[in-house]
Amino acid sequence: MVDKTETLGGAIDDVRAFCAVVEFGTVSAAARQLEETKGSISRRLSRLEARLGATLLARTPRAVSPTEEGIAFYTKAREALRWMDDAAEGARQSQEVLSGHLRVTAPIDLGMDVLPRLVVKFRQLHPQINVELLLTDSSLDLAANRVDLALRASVEGLPDMGYRASKIADFHIGLYAAPDYLEAHGGGPEVPSTLAEHALVVSREFPGAAHLPLSDKRGRSAQVVAHPAIRTSDYASVLRLVLAGGGIGPIPSLVAKASLASGSLLPVLPEWSVSKGTLYAISLGGRDAPARVRVFREFVRTELSDVP
């Protein structure tokens, strides 16, 4: 048995044709308004009445007029069509109008050390867009959490998630230290083999003894094994511990950029890096995402394009 709530499935244009006949008084006038033939409109009316099991229009050779059931149906159907037209227009405008609520998720390190400046600058350019940040190192499902855009960094490529991803920026994980630490320890290591003599600050992705696989642009590689002086949960706290003079730490170049620019952080073994990765922007709609999402994505891409 078919649920009664399904009886009008696929019949929106039939309802629109019926409302047009009531408003313009004849099938011919409704057909001209909807740019259809009289025969097409008549078939729509017959199909709608058959689905409803009710006579909506009283037909004479010269005119048609709504029955009592037709008037009752028209009153509610017309209002429903207005709501649908308004909803459709809102959806269309979202592709063009830079306004609304933008919900963004990002890893904690990006959210604390990269996004604040970008979000403030973006809001200065587009004050009609409100931004909500969800900072977590967990990969939130976009649909389930109503997320417009996810920024995710990966050193191994992204798994197939069913969403569209676009590249924002390449980065590398380099070694950094505070000037005071380097000054107190003879300027820091000059070759990878002496790195183990220094205090290391690492994130928990380096369990046990820290195995740091270093490589340089000339294709050389080195494996440094050291016992960390401080281990913490994420790169955001690695950065802060290193800035406080806790030692030398591997930090993504995206996260280290501002501190490097201010001079509060210095590169260690600058020709070498621990690994390389890519920052991606992931959205439900990809190129068809709302305008606010597309503009924010391109803004972040442009702002991060100069990261070394």
Side-chain angles (χ1 to χ4, degrees):
M1 181 176 179
V2 178
D3 191 317
K4 291 183 179 179
T5 61
E6 300 176 3
T7 56
L8 283 181
I12 299 303
D13 287 337
D14 296 350
V15 175
R16 198 178 297 278
F18 164 74
C19 290
V21 171
V22 173
E23 292 165 1
F24 292 98
T26 66
V27 172
S28 298
R32 287 193 296 272
Q33 177 67 21
L34 298 177
E35 298 182 344
E36 295 191 33
T37 65
K38 287 176 59 177
S40 174
I41 298 298
S42 295
R43 287 191 292 274
R44 290 192 182 281
L45 296 176
S46 298
R47 187 161 55 231
L48 179 60
E49 289 179 323
R51 283 185 174 132
L52 295 175
T55 301
L56 301 178
L57 294 168
R59 298 166 176 81
T60 68
R62 295 185 178 181
V64 293
S65 59
T67 63
E68 183 176 345
E69 292 80 8
I71 292 174
F73 181 77
Y74 169 81
T75 301
K76 295 181 179 180
R78 181 70 268 175
E79 186 64 20
L81 288 175
R82 288 195 185 97
W83 279 101
M84 291 187 63
D85 290 342
D86 288 346
E89 181 61 23
R92 282 190 291 268
Q93 288 186 359
S94 72
Q95 300 301 106
E96 303 172 0
V97 178
L98 293 175
S99 63
H101 189 77
L102 180 65
R103 193 172 168 92
V104 178
T105 184
I108 293 173
D109 51 8
L110 284 177
M112 295 183 66
D113 297 297
V114 179
L115 286 184
R117 177 185 65 84
L118 298 187
V119 169
V120 171
K121 185 175 180 179
F122 179 78
R123 285 269 301 133
Q124 291 171 344
L125 296 172
H126 306 288
Q128 67 277 28
I129 299 177
N130 298 319
V131 180
E132 179 183 358
L133 295 179
L134 303 176
L135 304 183
T136 174
D137 288 331
S138 300
S139 296
L140 298 180
D141 181 83
L142 274 64
N145 293 277
R146 297 179 291 108
V147 171
D148 293 305
L149 188 76
L151 294 173
R152 291 181 184 164
S154 175
V155 296
E156 299 178 348
L158 290 173
D160 183 10
M161 301 165 294
Y163 301 127
R164 298 181 182 180
S166 60
K167 176 181 171 181
I168 294 297
D170 290 319
F171 65 90
H172 72 273
I173 298 178
L175 296 170
Y176 303 91
D180 289 347
Y181 175 86
L182 294 178
E183 183 178 353
H185 293 80
E190 296 183 357
V191 293
S193 59
T194 59
L195 182 61
E197 301 171 5
H198 288 265
L200 290 185
V201 182
V202 300
S203 66
R204 62 186 175 191
E205 71 176 74
F206 299 99
H211 294 260
L212 298 179
L214 301 177
S215 61
D216 68 2
K217 294 181 179 180
R218 290 184 284 175
R220 295 179 299 172
S221 61
Q223 183 81 12
V224 176
V225 180
H227 293 278
I230 306 174
R231 194 187 304 275
T232 186
S233 60
D234 50 67
Y235 286 116
S237 51
V238 170
L239 172 63
R240 280 152 181 78
L241 288 164
V242 168
L243 288 173
I248 298 171
I251 304 171
S253 53
L254 291 171
V255 176
K257 177 184 176 182
S259 297
L260 281 171
S262 68
S264 57
L265 199 66
L266 293 176
V268 174
L269 300 173
E271 294 184 358
W272 297 82
S273 62
V274 177
S275 62
K276 297 178 180 179
T278 302
L279 178 66
Y280 296 93
I282 305 163
S283 62
L284 290 172
R287 293 180 181 178
D288 299 325
R292 64 184 184 278
V293 177
R294 301 196 309 271
V295 169
F296 182 77
R297 181 175 59 208
E298 292 309 311
F299 172 81
V300 173
R301 193 196 313 275
T302 301
E303 289 293 311
L304 297 184
S305 62
D306 62 343
V307 175

